[in-house]
Amino acid sequence: MCKVVIIAALFCCQSLIAAQVTWLKTDWPPHQITTGVYQDQGTFDVLHKLLIAQLPHLTHQVKVVNLPRLEQAFLQNNYSVCSFGSIFTEKRAKTRWYSKAVTVLPGLAVHFRTSAVLQQHAAMQADGSIDIRQLAQDKTLLGAYQPNRFYPASVMDATQYANFIPHEFTSEVNAAALLLSKRVDYVVEYPERMAFYLKHYPQKLQIQSRAVVDASPYVVSYITCNKSPAGQQLITEINQALMALWLTPAYKTAMFSWVDASNTDRLEKVYQDYLRKSAATTEH
C-alpha cells in the first residue's frame, strides 16, 4: 500500500511539473516588444498567443529577462522554461530541447548610410554581400552589433576588433538612430529589425542593406525548452500544436507581419517548403 501511495505521489508531482511552463521573453523588437505603442504585437508575441491557445491544459507564465539571464536560465533543470524564436546551435542543444521550425525570416545583413564610403569599400563582394572580417579591420569605420546572440563565423571573428563594438538594441535603444546620427558607420542586424527601427524616420531611404557574406539568406528559428523533467514532453506537445498552426493563414500573417514585401517574396518558396513538411507530418 505504501509503495502504491509513493508511486501515485510521484506521478502527481510529475503531472504538476508538466502542467507548468515559464516562457522567457526578451526585449527584441519587432519579434518581442515589451514597451511602447507596439507592446506585445511582435512576431513572436503574436505567434506565442496562437500557440498557447492550442495548449490550454498547461499553465503558462511569461517572464521578461535580458539575453544573458535567458541563457543562464537554461542551465538549470529544476523547473521548466521555454523561449520562442531561438536559432539552432550545437552548444545550445546541450542544455535545451528544440521544437520543429517556428519561423523562417530574412538573413543577417549590414546596414549603412547611402552616402557612406561602404558602397565602394573593398569588403563589398561581387554578389553584393559584405565581408565583415575585412570591414572590421578598417580603423576609419565604426560598426555595432548586439552581443549575446548567435552569429556567422565572419561576424564572430569581427568582434575581436576594437572598432566593431557591442551595443544593446531594444525598444528604447534604436539601431537606426545610431546610423542616422552618424555615431556609427554600419550596424549588423536582421532586416526586419532595422525596418522596425526605421519605421518613424522619414530619412529611412538613406539606409542601405547588404547581406553578410557567410550568412544564410534566411533564418529558421525554433522554440527551445530546458532539459527539466518535463522538458522533452513539453516539446512534444508544442510540436503537435505547431503542426496544426503552420496550416492556418493566421500563422503566416503573424510570421511575416514585420517583414517587408521584397523579403516576403524572397522567402515564399522557403515558407512553402516548411508548410509542406508540416502538412505531411500532420497527415501521418
Side-chain angles (χ1 to χ4, degrees):
M1 178 65 70
C2 289
K3 288 183 178 179
V4 173
V5 172
I6 291 171
I7 292 171
L10 286 173
F11 273 105
C12 173
C13 292
Q14 288 178 351
S15 177
L16 287 173
I17 292 170
Q20 301 176 30
V21 56
T22 298
W23 292 90
L24 301 178
K25 175 179 177 177
T26 62
D27 184 9
W28 195 43
H31 301 310
Q32 292 175 322
I33 307 174
T34 59
T35 61
V37 173
Y38 300 105
Q39 184 175 353
D40 297 329
Q41 296 179 42
T43 311
F44 300 157
D45 294 329
V46 178
L47 293 177
H48 181 242
K49 290 173 187 174
L50 294 175
L51 177 71
I52 64 175
Q54 298 287 318
L55 302 168
H57 59 290
L58 300 178
T59 300
H60 305 269
Q61 63 174 336
V62 177
K63 185 176 182 180
V64 179
V65 296
N66 59 27
L67 284 170
R69 286 188 178 276
L70 183 147
E71 295 298 326
Q72 291 170 9
F74 276 95
L75 299 179
Q76 61 78 33
N77 297 323
N78 297 323
Y79 60 95
S80 298
V81 296
C82 299
S83 68
F84 211 104
S86 294
I87 296 173
F88 179 84
T89 72
E90 294 291 344
K91 181 179 179 181
R92 288 175 178 171
K94 293 177 181 178
T95 60
R96 64 201 75 182
W97 303 109
Y98 274 80
S99 72
K100 294 181 179 296
V102 168
T103 60
V104 285
L105 293 166
L108 194 66
V110 180
H111 310 270
F112 55 94
R113 295 183 302 279
T114 301
S115 59
V117 296
L118 268 70
Q119 293 190 88
Q120 306 299 325
H121 200 279
M124 187 74 75
Q125 305 298 293
D127 62 359
S129 62
I130 292 183
D131 185 343
I132 294 296
R133 291 186 186 92
Q134 192 171 359
L135 195 62
Q137 294 177 53
D138 187 336
K139 295 181 180 179
T140 67
L141 299 174
L142 182 65
Y145 69 97
Q146 182 159 345
N148 298 304
R149 282 165 50 181
F150 169 77
Y151 288 110
S154 66
V155 179
M156 295 306 297
D157 290 346
T159 62
Q160 305 305 309
Y161 293 92
N163 51 315
F164 188 46
I165 59 173
H167 207 300
E168 295 291 339
F169 303 138
T170 67
S171 298
E172 304 298 327
V173 182
N174 190 312
L178 288 177
L179 280 176
L180 294 171
S181 65
K182 300 184 179 180
R183 284 183 283 172
V184 298
D185 298 292
Y186 61 93
V187 171
V188 174
E189 191 48 271
Y190 290 96
E192 69 277 14
R193 295 203 75 203
M194 188 58 68
F196 174 84
Y197 288 128
L198 285 168
K199 192 173 182 65
H200 299 296
Y201 281 91
Q203 316 97 301
K204 58 186 174 183
L205 295 179
Q206 296 179 15
I207 303 296
Q208 289 193 20
S209 303
R210 296 290 184 272
V212 171
V213 68
D214 59 339
S216 169
Y218 64 90
V219 173
V220 181
S221 63
Y222 307 84
I223 290 170
T224 56
C225 295
N226 67 329
K227 296 189 176 180
S228 67
Q232 196 165 17
Q233 177 61 29
L234 280 171
I235 287 294
T236 298
E237 296 186 36
I238 287 167
N239 282 341
Q240 291 173 346
L242 284 175
M243 285 187 290
L245 285 173
W246 266 88
L247 304 180
T248 65
Y251 196 80
K252 181 181 181 181
T253 299
M255 187 187 305
F256 294 133
S257 59
W258 290 98
V259 180
D260 63 31
S262 62
N263 275 306
T264 300
D265 290 343
R266 280 194 287 270
L267 286 170
E268 183 62 27
K269 183 181 182 301
V270 179
Y271 169 80
Q272 292 297 333
D273 287 343
Y274 278 91
L275 185 62
R276 280 191 288 272
K277 291 177 184 176
S278 291
T281 307
T282 304
E283 289 169 3
H284 286 90

